Amino acid sequence: MARRRQAVTIKHVAADAGVSLQTVSRVINNEPNVRPAMQERVQASIDKLGYVPSIAAQRMSGSRSYLILAINDRERTIADWRNRQGSDWVDQMLLGGMLKCAEHGYRMIFELVDTHNDHVERELGAAIAALQPDGVILTPPHSENPLITGFLAKRKIPFARIGSVTSGPGIAMTMDDEGSARRATEHLIALGHGRIGFIAGPKEYDLSNWRIDGWREAMTSTGLSCDALCVRGDFGYDSGVLAANALLDLQDPPTAIIGSNDQMTLAALDAAKARGLHIPGDLSLISFDNTPVVRFTVPELTAVDQPIAATFSKAVELLITNGDALVPHQPVVIEGSLIERSSTAPPSAHGRA
């Protein structure tokens, strides 16, 4: 059996470069007061020996852990995974976060935490104690949970709150939900729609209300009525069916519907087809999220593309480079975009209303 190759350690690098362990450590950790010539000398030995610094070694060299912890809602995440319905929220989280962490020599750890108040502090406390992260990224609804934000603030752990605009500790960040909903509505108005229904998300997510605000702003600014045209769901498919049917059962039904996520919009698509409606001839549809599944529907869904990866990338960058030192006074806004596909068109000349 071949002998296992001995791992290259920081001691090998120090011996090859003819410097102390402390000097190698300072170069690895990009610390100040290292002469350029010395930095080049140590880096040359690192490259020659193929040395890759371990997180354990980095952690022992200073106060940083080189870990960023991203936290997502346990119940909803597990439900999405088990249903296998095409949500790529977690994928996009990791894409943006992990790549940005790698640029800075960090690692991203992903954890699920229960939203229930009697569990959250215990679960979060266990994760923090085990990992000792340099920063934490919170997603909705955790980003608006005072138990969580207060816990992190009390322990002086830098954190970013995605989907949050309230004042308080941490870096508030949004994906411009209100603006995205407004632009989606304006797109339909420009096509000639005057009756535009909105399937909103649950109240416990602030972003649900922001999207309603954007839709309502676009409607009222052009003199269009919003009466009875907004129905709430819970981001699940079944709630989308109920909401879509409620809108389509109106005496004066909408000629277009915006769904607050892909699952509810897919439900609206199926509900409309079950009634014999043609998309987009009889009903135009716009979705939020732009997960992969919307490109495989018939017709393909026009969708608001949520900049999840870009938002997580920015959160990581702010936590690593600023931490608590420079918390922006205003929420950091990462704008999404509207991807036009074949589920939107001018309303039928015959009209259903």
Side-chain angles (χ1 to χ4, degrees), residues 176-258:
D176 193 27
D177 295 271
E178 183 174 341
S180 291
R182 184 181 63 251
R183 287 188 289 273
T185 308
E186 289 170 346
H187 172 68
L188 292 169
I189 292 172
L191 289 174
H193 293 276
R195 296 282 291 171
I196 302 171
F198 196 85
I199 302 178
K203 292 181 179 179
E204 60 263 33
Y205 288 80
D206 281 353
L207 60 84
S208 298
N209 299 322
W210 300 336
R211 294 174 186 180
I212 293 174
D213 291 342
W215 162 77
R216 182 178 289 116
E217 180 185 343
M219 295 285 281
T220 57
S221 65
T222 51
L224 298 176
S225 173
C226 298
D227 292 346
L229 288 174
C230 180
V231 181
R232 282 193 186 271
D234 62 7
F235 287 142
Y237 179 92
D238 291 341
S239 74
V241 171
L242 294 174
N245 281 327
L247 290 170
L248 295 173
D249 282 339
L250 292 173
Q251 185 175 358
D252 187 10
T255 59
I257 292 176
I258 300 171

Side-chain angles (χ1 to χ4, degrees), residues 77-230:
T77 303
I78 291 176
D80 286 344
W81 285 344
R82 285 177 173 164
N83 291 334
R84 303 179 71 180
Q85 292 180 332
S87 174
D88 66 345
W89 168 269
V90 173
D91 294 344
Q92 292 298 309
M93 282 175 58
L94 298 178
L95 171 63
M98 292 177 71
L99 291 182
K100 183 57 67 174
C101 277
E103 289 181 20
H104 294 272
Y106 275 66
R107 297 292 185 271
M108 171 167 278
I109 304 295
F110 177 66
E111 289 280 333
L112 300 179
V113 172
D114 201 329
T115 55
H116 300 298
N117 289 349
D118 56 341
H119 296 161
V120 68
E121 287 189 281
R122 182 179 70 248
E123 292 188 11
L124 182 58
I128 294 297
L131 300 170
Q132 298 180 358
D134 292 330
V136 175
I137 301 176
L138 303 174
T139 62
H142 296 326
S143 51
E144 290 287 276
N145 187 327
L147 287 177
I148 294 179
T149 57
F151 178 95
L152 295 173
K154 183 178 180 180
R155 286 155 181 78
K156 302 187 184 307
I157 301 172
F159 62 97
R161 299 180 279 123
I162 293 179
S164 176
V165 296
T166 57
S167 59
I171 302 169
M173 304 184 71
T174 81
M175 290 184 276
D176 193 27
D177 295 271
E178 183 174 341
S180 291
R182 184 181 63 251
R183 287 188 289 273
T185 308
E186 289 170 346
H187 172 68
L188 292 169
I189 292 172
L191 289 174
H193 293 276
R195 296 282 291 171
I196 302 171
F198 196 85
I199 302 178
K203 292 181 179 179
E204 60 263 33
Y205 288 80
D206 281 353
L207 60 84
S208 298
N209 299 322
W210 300 336
R211 294 174 186 180
I212 293 174
D213 291 342
W215 162 77
R216 182 178 289 116
E217 180 185 343
M219 295 285 281
T220 57
S221 65
T222 51
L224 298 176
S225 173
C226 298
D227 292 346
L229 288 174
C230 180

Side-chain angles (χ1 to χ4, degrees), residues 6-18 21 24 45 49 51:
Q6 184 180 12
V8 177
T9 70
I10 191 173
K11 292 182 179 180
H12 294 112
V13 175
D16 186 80
L21 293 176
V24 177
S45 292
L49 298 175
Y51 172 66

Side-chain angles (χ1 to χ4, degrees), residues 334-347:
I334 310 295
E335 287 192 4
S337 58
L338 184 68
I339 309 299
E340 296 181 36
R341 299 192 180 94
S342 51
S343 68
T344 52

Side-chain angles (χ1 to χ4, degrees), residues 29-45:
N29 293 305
N30 295 315
E31 294 181 12
N33 303 321
V34 178
R35 288 178 289 120
M38 183 62 70
Q39 187 167 0
E40 291 178 8
R41 181 173 165 185
V42 172
Q43 188 60 51
S45 292

